[in-house]
Amino acid sequence: MATFSEKSTVQSFLADRISDNGFTEVKAKDLPRQLADPYIPAYLKQAVIDLNPTLKAHPERYDEIEPRLSAIFGKAVTSSPMQANKEFIQQLFGGFTHKFIGDNDYTTIHLFDLDNPENNQAIVSKEVVYKTPNTHERFDLVLFLNGLPVVIIETKNITQDWKLGVSDINQVYLNKAPAFFATNILNVVCNGTNFRYGSLNQPDYTWSMWGSTEDPYDLKGIERTKRSIDLLLSPSTLINIADDFTLFQRSGVSGAKKIIPATCRWKQQKPFTRVFANLTVATD
């Protein structure tokens, strides 16, 4: 059993558990990206081509939509990561339309396979560096779906308060590396025995554990962390949350309100997903 006396022990435990949950662990140095890239261009390009028949027949047409995809990362820097994230979730995540040169009609472009989450490329990497002329940050763990960073995980050792991880994400990374959060679904902080998740800029008191009604009510510690990983950090659950359970709200005093994404609780996600599945079956 892991003792979590060192931060690196927590990282390795999380990476191992996540890699058994639909993700493949790839060393950060082996990711085909420049350190200044907030995503993995080659993985995104291949995924989008594979998912869209028009692009699979004419891969060169990807060059027409690439500027729209890369622009979302620029918007996180020039506008705000929350505004860019809102545009990504609401306008791009579930698919968008594009009129290719020479075509009369618009074509729907998909970034993810929403119906078959296992068809998406899911990568987990430790110690991912993001370096530009203005910043040099290192993320403890990053979860990528089709080359896009969708989850940032900040780890602490067992003697440290997990709330320090929330402060690191909200006060440091979000300000110094905003482009890395443009395609964010949620973030996680963990010291081994305490696991919490939250959305961009959410205060620490709103960060929560993940669970299931099938678990003992007093489940805690490392066993609760394991269950949180297994239930939350899978491609299918993350895609479901982004596609169906993420809203954007304005928080703060009048005149200085910020856009903050609001992610569902497990008591909301699971029951409503079952209801929707039953309704879909009933109408088929």
Side-chain angles (χ1 to χ4, degrees):
M1 177 178 172
T3 59
F4 305 126
S5 58
E6 300 291 339
K7 181 175 177 176
S8 59
T9 308
V10 180
Q11 286 183 14
S12 296
F13 163 72
L14 290 172
D16 290 345
R17 192 81 184 186
I18 293 168
S19 64
D20 289 333
N21 205 38
F23 284 82
T24 299
E25 184 174 0
V26 177
K27 293 181 179 179
K29 67 180 182 64
D30 294 331
L31 296 173
R33 57 178 286 268
Q34 301 297 314
L35 296 185
D37 290 333
Y39 67 112
I40 309 173
Y43 287 174
L44 176 61
K45 179 178 180 178
Q46 191 59 57
V48 174
I49 289 174
D50 289 342
L51 286 171
N52 297 276
T54 297
L55 293 175
K56 200 158 190 176
H58 302 281
E60 69 279 2
R61 284 188 158 187
Y62 179 81
D63 293 341
E64 286 190 45
I65 64 169
E66 191 279 334
R68 181 171 183 184
L69 301 180
S70 59
I72 201 74
F73 298 98
K75 187 168 189 175
V77 177
T78 59
S79 179
S80 79
M82 278 67 72
Q83 187 64 50
N85 186 243
K86 179 181 179 182
E87 182 175 323
F88 170 71
I89 294 294
Q90 294 185 342
Q91 299 181 27
L92 300 180
F93 189 90
F96 61 95
T97 58
H98 179 81
K99 188 175 182 180
F100 288 100
I101 296 173
D103 287 359
N104 293 322
D105 300 319
Y106 283 84
T107 300
T108 299
I109 302 297
H110 299 283
L111 301 183
F112 304 96
D113 189 333
L114 304 181
D115 297 324
N116 302 284
E118 67 278 1
N119 290 340
N120 300 288
Q121 185 184 42
I123 299 292
V124 55
S125 290
K126 295 184 294 186
E127 300 289 334
V128 177
V129 174
Y130 177 58
K131 184 178 180 180
T132 71
N134 299 317
T135 190
H136 186 173
E137 302 300 327
R138 185 186 303 270
F139 301 104
D140 292 340
L141 291 103
V142 180
L143 272 56
F144 296 93
L145 286 178
N146 292 347
L148 299 175
V150 295
V151 178
I152 303 297
I153 302 178
E154 177 68 10
T155 60
K156 300 297 178 185
N157 67 48
I158 198 169
T159 64
Q160 294 178 299
D161 191 336
W162 62 267
K163 293 180 181 179
L164 294 174
V166 178
S167 178
D168 287 341
I169 291 174
N170 286 345
Q171 304 302 321
V172 180
Y173 300 138
L174 198 55
N175 291 318
K176 292 187 176 182
F180 229 91
F181 293 89
T183 59
N184 187 263
I185 294 177
L186 55 86
N187 300 300
V188 169
V189 296
C190 183
N191 68 357
T193 58
N194 281 296
F195 177 106
R196 298 290 190 281
Y197 77 97
S199 299
L200 298 182
N201 236 13
Q202 282 190 321
D204 56 36
Y205 63 83
T206 67
W207 287 54
S208 179
M209 297 182 288
W210 197 265
S212 169
T213 55
E214 299 173 0
D215 295 336
Y217 75 92
D218 58 349
L219 186 67
K220 58 184 180 181
I222 186 173
E223 295 305 318
R224 182 62 182 265
T225 295
K226 290 178 180 178
R227 284 294 283 166
S228 294
I229 294 170
D230 295 348
L231 295 170
L232 176 61
L233 300 182
S234 69
S236 59
T237 300
L238 291 173
I239 285 174
N240 181 236
I241 288 174
D243 195 37
D244 295 321
F245 292 97
T246 299
L247 300 175
F248 289 82
Q249 59 188 7
R250 289 188 175 274
S251 178
V253 297
S254 179
K257 291 187 176 182
K258 297 180 180 179
I259 296 174
I260 297 178
T263 302
C264 65
R265 305 303 192 199
W266 63 268
K267 291 183 179 180
Q268 299 167 322
Q269 186 261 347
K270 198 68 175 180
F272 281 103
T273 299
R274 287 174 177 169
V275 169
F276 179 77
N278 290 335
L279 288 173
T280 301
V281 171
T283 55
D284 284 346

